[in-house]
Amino acid sequence: MKAIQTAIPDLLILEPKVFGDDRGFFYESFNRQKFSELTGRDADFVQDNHSRSVKGVLRGLHYQIQHPQAKLVRVVQGAVLDVAVDIRKSSPTFGQHVALELSAENKRMFWIPEGFAHGFVVLSDTAEFLYKTTDYWYPEFERSIVWDDPEIAIDWQVQAPPALSAKDLQGKSLAGAELFE
Ligand SMILES: Cc1cn([C@H]2C[C@H](O)[C@@H](COP(=O)(O)OP(=O)(O)O[C@H]3O[C@@H](C)C(=O)[C@@H](O)[C@H]3O)O2)c(=O)[nH]c1=O
């Protein structure tokens, strides 16, 4: 496993070492010791999530205002554009984001600590998205920032308008959202 820096220092791309042979492949998708060496965090993950979505679905941009979750995300089928937005008001990179493709093919993982809003759009016909979180889901503390906020200005790399949940259609602008200090 190796870590690749991004434009926002706390956001890391993790690239596993993949062992291919004539049977297929093998890789360690999580190793607590290596994860800690690469990220500086002894993350205590408490929940694993798995979602499947069809092309053009956009989930996000989500965060929890209390019980913030750090997330280790990846794709095991298909491809998505994954995005994390820095919503820590005191951060020098406040309002900035990192977007990258995660796919079953590139096997990249994205480490998103607390203090970021997270979302993705599906680029392939379908995509299966897996992620570990450091805190539980608290629906009462869940918040959504609107995907197309011009202040954040994410290039989602999709032509047609994405399909959103009813909750995400009600997302707030960054300026109107409850944020982290
Ligand atoms: C997030 C979550 C949802 N659910 C349920 C609630 C609901 O009935 C159904 C679908 O929930 P949602 O519409 O919120 O799912 P979704 O839009 O996929 O929400 C997720 O989006 C990505 C981008 C994230 O970063 C995640 O943290 C999470 O917010 O699953 C749980 O039971 N546990 C959970 O942890």
Side-chain angles (χ1 to χ4, degrees):
M1 184 89 73
K2 70 170 182 182
I4 300 168
Q5 302 289 331
T6 70
I8 299 180
D10 295 325
L11 295 172
L12 292 177
I13 300 163
L14 301 182
E15 237 173 34
K17 183 164 173 45
V18 181
F19 300 88
D21 61 27
D22 49 13
R23 298 169 298 175
F25 68 76
F26 180 96
Y27 69 94
E28 294 183 1
S29 53
F30 180 71
N31 174 315
R32 187 172 183 165
Q33 193 176 356
K34 289 177 190 158
F35 179 83
S36 159
E37 285 164 14
L38 292 172
T39 64
R41 282 278 300 266
D42 188 17
D44 191 7
F45 292 109
V46 297
Q47 196 174 316
D48 273 351
N49 298 323
H50 184 160
S51 64
R52 180 177 187 275
S53 315
V54 297
K55 189 174 198 156
V57 165
L58 190 156
R59 298 178 186 248
L61 298 155
H62 298 162
Y63 62 105
Q64 290 187 167
I65 195 68
Q66 289 179 42
H67 293 277
Q69 296 171 307
K71 300 170 190 174
L72 179 63
V73 313
R74 65 194 174 107
V75 165
V76 294
Q77 184 270 312
V80 310
L81 186 80
D82 201 69
V83 178
V85 183
D86 188 350
I87 57 168
R88 302 165 298 180
K89 281 188 281 184
S90 56
S91 165
T93 51
F94 172 73
Q96 295 179 27
H97 67 278
V98 168
L100 72 147
E101 188 169 318
L102 301 177
S103 67
E105 197 174 338
N106 70 25
K107 297 183 179 50
R108 284 183 152 187
M109 301 177 210
F110 195 21
W111 165 238
I112 306 166
E114 300 86 344
F116 291 82
H118 168 250
F120 64 89
V121 71
V122 176
L123 304 173
S124 46
D125 285 346
T126 60
E128 299 216 18
F129 195 86
L130 264 56
Y131 52 110
K132 306 174 92 60
T133 64
T134 55
D135 207 336
Y136 296 103
W137 176 55
Y138 287 86
E140 65 274 34
F141 299 132
E142 244 185 348
R143 298 291 183 273
S144 182
I145 293 178
V146 71
W147 66 284
D148 60 350
D149 183 349
E151 192 184 341
I152 307 175
I154 299 164
D155 177 5
W156 287 97
Q157 299 179 22
V158 286
Q159 312 309 325
L164 303 178
S165 69
K167 191 174 60 183
D168 290 343
L169 284 167
Q170 307 293 321
K172 295 259 198 317
S173 66
L174 183 65
E178 293 168 76
L179 302 170
F180 297 105
E181 284 312 315

